Structure formats: structure tokens, C-alpha cells
Amino acid sequence: MGETHVVLDGLGFPESTRWHDGRVWLCNWGSGDVLAVTPDGTPEVAARLAPRTLPFSIDWLPDGRMLVVDGPQRLLLRQVAAHHPLEVVADLSALGPAPLNELVVDSAGNAYVNGASGVVVLVRPNGEVQQVADGLRFPNGMALIDDGQTLVVADSHAQELVGYDVGRDGTLSHPRVWASLEHAPDGICADADGSVWVASVPGRGCVRVGTGGDVLEKITVDRGCFACMLGGEDGRILFIAAAEWRGMEAAMTEGPGLTGQLLAAPGQPAAHAGRP
């Protein structure tokens, strides 16, 4: 269950992996491209931000429109149809310093965005913006579990997954340590059992953990893992975004290089039936 193969290489820092409409989607940090990749490794540029935009992330509204977080500009953007220009949904610059980081959308169309200031922000379908959590050391990947009743946020610097109750109005409450981890977490995704896959750059791999942090599965690779997502026709392929990481200063001054890979590890427990 830990064997991987390369689906696509020559990427920068691949991030924000998603399974959508029969393809793996990712943000290729360094080129500014949102890529849609077929399971056999054929990429298509679906949207484009400015080169060297770090970070940016994606998810979809229930009606199929794609949302994009432009981290440095602190904007939530929307693409109304394939290959159309991105339009501004919300300017989040008043809610803390740059950059914004990760994004997840629930079944009601509520978008949760987190950022380097340690906050989680809710952008409702009507465009209303509300800060719903704070105090995180460095929020990273997010996933909804328990039929959307719990939001799990990876806190990289705390080496924890933090759980929140999701209210009917989308607000968050009762923060608690959902899992303690050996290595700093990056992107995460949930499976049908309510367990969470965690990608780690310093850990050079992905672990599947249950509540409390019990390690249920482990996949080790030869470079840092930035994100992961279950997909494929049966929802049992873990797609992993991996690359060599030389630190943020090198990333910003020298660029990401071309060590990035999209990997696939088949034969995993099935994907969560709802949102990532």
C-alpha cells in the first residue's frame, strides 16, 4: 500500500492537490499555473496567476465554479467557466498580513481560507467575510470530516491537526488537538473512515492518522510532500505533490526549480464521499 509511481514530473512546487471531474488538479508554485492532469499524466493549464505567486490554492463551489486563493495579494478569486479570467470574490487584506494560504469549500458553498497570521476566515456565498478562528501558529491544509460537522486544520509549526466544530451558520467553535504528529503537516485530505492523510515536507512522506494521531498507514518518498488527495475512479489512489525543499528564502530568491512531481499510490482506503 506504500508503493508510488510518477504521474508527472518537471514541476516546481506542486501544491493544493484536488480530484475533480476525473482529473487531478494542482497548483504549480513557480509557474503560477493551475494544472488539470489526467490519471495517465497529461496536463492542461486551466487557470494562471502571476509567475512566482507563492502560495496559492484551489477548490470548487457546489455549482462547479473554481475558487482560487492568491496568497500574496490576499484575494479570493473565482473562475466562472473553464479558461475564463479570474474575478475577485473577496479582498481579505484587512484580516491580517500576507500571505493567505489554504482553502476548502463545504457543501453549502462556504469557503474557509487560512493565512500566516494564524486565522481562519469564512467567506459565505453572498460574499460576507467573517474571521472564525485565530491563534494557530501556521495554518496549512484543511479538510472537512464527520459529514461537514468538523473542520480539521493542519498547524505546521505546532505539529498538530486542530479540529473545530462547524455550526449551522458556518462558524467554528471548540478548537481542540485532533492529532499530534511527528513531523510538521502540510496538505491534508480525509478518507471514508474519517481518518486523515497528512503530507509532510520535513517528514518526506504521507501518513494516515486517526483521532489522537495514531499512525494507520505510512508512505515514504525521496523528497518533501506538500499535499495529498484521494482520487481515481474508485477513490483509492492517493495523489501526492512532492518536491525538494531548500527553504523559503531559496524558494523566493531562486525559484522552485523543477524537482516537483505528482505521485500516485494506489490501493488506499476510499476517499471521503463529501468535500476534501
Side-chain angles (χ1 to χ4, degrees):
M1 297 177 69
E3 296 291 328
T4 64
H5 65 267
V6 177
V7 178
L8 183 66
D9 59 10
L11 300 168
F13 295 139
E15 255 281 11
S16 191
T17 45
R18 302 285 186 263
W19 178 260
H20 177 74
D21 202 20
R23 294 188 288 183
V24 193
W25 296 62
L26 60 88
C27 297
N28 190 23
W29 294 6
S31 70
D33 293 337
V34 176
L35 298 180
V37 185
T38 63
D40 65 359
T42 302
E44 177 188 6
V45 177
R48 180 166 285 159
L49 280 71
R52 297 287 184 95
T53 297
L54 270 80
F56 66 105
S57 55
I58 55 173
D59 204 0
W60 279 264
L61 292 166
D63 63 10
R65 291 178 296 172
M66 182 171 67
L67 296 181
V68 182
V69 167
D70 183 326
Q73 298 299 319
R74 289 173 289 175
L75 297 174
L76 180 64
L77 308 171
R78 177 175 57 211
Q79 188 182 57
V80 298
H83 306 294
H84 279 226
L86 297 169
E87 60 184 33
V88 176
V89 176
D91 184 337
L92 304 177
S93 58
L95 293 166
L100 299 178
N101 193 12
E102 278 282 359
L103 165 70
V104 71
V105 182
D106 73 8
S107 59
N110 292 308
Y112 295 91
V113 181
N114 62 38
S117 60
V119 303
V120 180
V121 174
L122 167 63
V123 182
R124 293 189 169 89
N126 64 5
E128 179 185 347
V129 177
Q130 180 182 355
Q131 181 177 309
V132 290
D134 61 10
L136 294 158
R137 292 176 61 184
F138 191 88
N140 218 313
M142 297 185 286
L144 288 155
I145 61 172
D146 302 332
D147 296 321
Q149 298 181 70
T150 302
L151 178 70
V152 179
V153 182
D155 191 340
S156 295
H157 290 175
Q159 293 185 200
E160 294 175 342
L161 302 182
V162 181
Y164 297 89
D165 293 341
V166 180
R168 291 186 177 183
D169 60 355
T171 56
L172 305 180
S173 62
H174 301 108
R176 67 269 185 192
V177 176
W178 194 89
S180 297
L181 303 167
E182 181 181 1
H183 299 290
D186 201 314
I188 64 175
C189 70
D191 68 16
D193 296 331
S195 302
V196 174
W197 278 101
V198 182
S200 176
V201 174
R204 291 188 163 228
C206 297
V207 293
R208 178 174 171 253
V209 298
T211 306
D214 290 341
V215 176
L216 308 174
E217 307 283 347
K218 185 174 183 179
I219 297 172
T220 301
V221 302
D222 65 352
R223 62 200 68 198
C225 292
F226 289 79
C228 57
M229 179 57 59
L230 287 161
E233 291 184 4
D234 60 0
R236 294 179 179 275
I237 301 173
L238 187 71
F239 292 98
I240 302 169
E244 293 289 352
W245 177 249
R246 304 182 308 279
M248 182 58 74
E249 182 177 350
M252 298 303 295
T253 58
E254 303 170 17
L258 295 173
T259 67
Q261 295 179 332
L262 177 64
L263 306 171
Q268 308 305 326
H272 190 274
R275 305 293 299 173

